[in-house]
Amino acid sequence: MLRGGARNTDVARLFDIPVGTISYWRHVDRAKRGECPRRTPSDCPRCDGRPLDGRAYAYLLGLYLGDGHIVSKSKQHHLSIYCNATQVGLIAAAEEAIRKVMASPGLGRHRKNGCVEVKSYSKHWTCLFPQHGAGPKHARRIILEDWQQDIVDAYPWELVRGLIHSDGCRVTNWTTRLVAGERKRYEYPRYFFTNKSDDIRRLYTDTLDKLGVEWTHCTRDGRPYNVSVARKASVGLMDAHVGAKY
């Protein structure tokens, strides 16, 4: 009767069965035949085959591995990227990357003490960031899946830019040298990346190696989790493709 066009209420009244039960039976029957009504389409590239913006994803992956996390609930997940409140360009760049990677979910800003949380809701964020898990990232393994590594190989500078914009910085160092009996001050730019996760630092340095950027491990402010790029040619490459936060 239902397949012939009868209404749920008419069938329920005829057989003295609750209309909710009839509605559920109808839904299950349609689902089995691949005719599930009112299915909300997903914009998840991993689930529905929508093209994934690789450039935006590589940048967002860097932001997530640095200053991002996913909070999971029973029917929803939300992705949070934390940005310095004064770096409005970085906040806008994070929002733009999220929209390009996953267009439909809600997106908002939440101001906290000294920072802005860029937050996006979608149950599919864990599809795009399978590195999500319980506890801090440095306390568990962080390994890219093959499809993620393919994107990083295609857009390595975008990953580096995302990592620097989250857990890195461009600073001006200085030193003094004795020239003709006179001590002179010299300044030079330098990039730092700081992250407690050995896996994330290795992902960063492996990508730098592929790009021809020279780097060294160093201790800064008493912390041994730093990667430094200081050689002039390498800094020039970083300036051309990454630049300072803004």
Side-chain angles (χ1 to χ4, degrees):
M1 290 176 65
L2 293 170
R3 291 182 183 180
R7 296 186 305 170
N8 292 1
T9 52
D10 294 336
V11 177
R13 188 180 302 111
L14 178 62
F15 294 103
D16 193 24
I17 296 174
V19 68
T21 301
I22 295 296
S23 178
Y24 173 72
W25 286 351
R26 186 176 197 173
H27 173 83
V28 171
D29 179 62
R30 288 187 176 184
K32 288 180 178 178
R33 291 184 289 128
E35 301 173 3
C36 185
R38 292 185 292 277
R39 179 179 181 270
T40 302
S42 162
D43 65 347
C44 175
R46 297 293 298 163
C47 294
D48 285 359
R50 182 179 63 83
L52 176 61
D53 188 321
R55 186 182 300 276
Y57 179 78
Y59 177 66
L60 187 60
L61 176 62
L63 294 180
Y64 165 74
L65 292 176
D67 283 332
H69 71 264
I70 296 173
V71 175
S72 295
K73 299 179 182 179
S74 58
K75 296 183 179 180
Q76 186 63 275
H77 307 290
H78 76 251
L79 169 69
S80 291
I81 303 294
Y82 288 89
C83 307
N84 189 316
T86 65
Q87 295 168 342
V88 295
L90 173 57
I91 297 170
E95 291 178 334
E96 180 183 12
I98 288 173
R99 288 193 183 98
K100 287 182 176 180
V101 170
M102 193 98 77
S104 296
L107 181 65
R109 298 181 184 184
H110 299 270
R111 183 171 290 274
K112 298 181 180 291
N113 185 22
C115 71
V116 170
E117 178 189 12
V118 178
K119 181 181 291 188
S120 174
Y121 290 87
S122 171
K123 64 180 180 181
H124 291 280
W125 280 122
T126 52
C127 305
L128 290 171
F129 296 108
Q131 288 70 35
H132 166 67
K137 298 187 192 79
H138 67 267
R140 48 192 168 87
R141 294 301 307 274
I142 301 294
I143 301 175
L144 298 187
E145 294 193 356
D146 291 342
W147 65 268
Q148 292 178 297
Q149 189 61 58
D150 289 341
I151 293 175
V152 169
D153 291 342
Y155 301 99
W157 279 116
E158 293 305 311
L159 174 73
V160 172
R161 192 164 68 94
L163 290 171
I164 290 294
H165 284 182
S166 57
D167 271 349
C169 62
R170 184 187 189 276
V171 300
T172 300
N173 277 17
W174 63 271
T175 186
T176 61
R177 293 179 183 175
L178 197 62
V179 179
E182 181 181 357
R183 185 161 294 278
K184 294 186 176 182
R185 174 181 171 124
Y186 290 89
E187 295 183 348
Y188 61 97
R190 190 175 192 178
Y191 281 85
F192 281 106
F193 176 72
T194 303
N195 194 294
K196 287 185 177 181
S197 168
D198 294 339
D199 291 334
I200 295 176
R201 289 199 311 275
R202 186 178 302 110
L203 173 62
Y204 174 67
T205 55
D206 286 350
T207 306
L208 292 183
D209 288 340
K210 294 176 182 177
L211 293 168
V213 176
E214 297 183 75
W215 55 271
T216 57
H217 282 296
C218 66
T219 299
R220 182 170 179 250
D221 299 328
R223 296 178 295 179
Y225 311 115
N226 302 282
V227 178
S228 168
V229 175
R231 289 188 176 274
K232 186 176 181 179
S234 295
V235 171
L237 282 173
M238 297 286 280
D239 284 343
H241 296 278
V242 179
K245 298 182 186 181
Y246 54 96

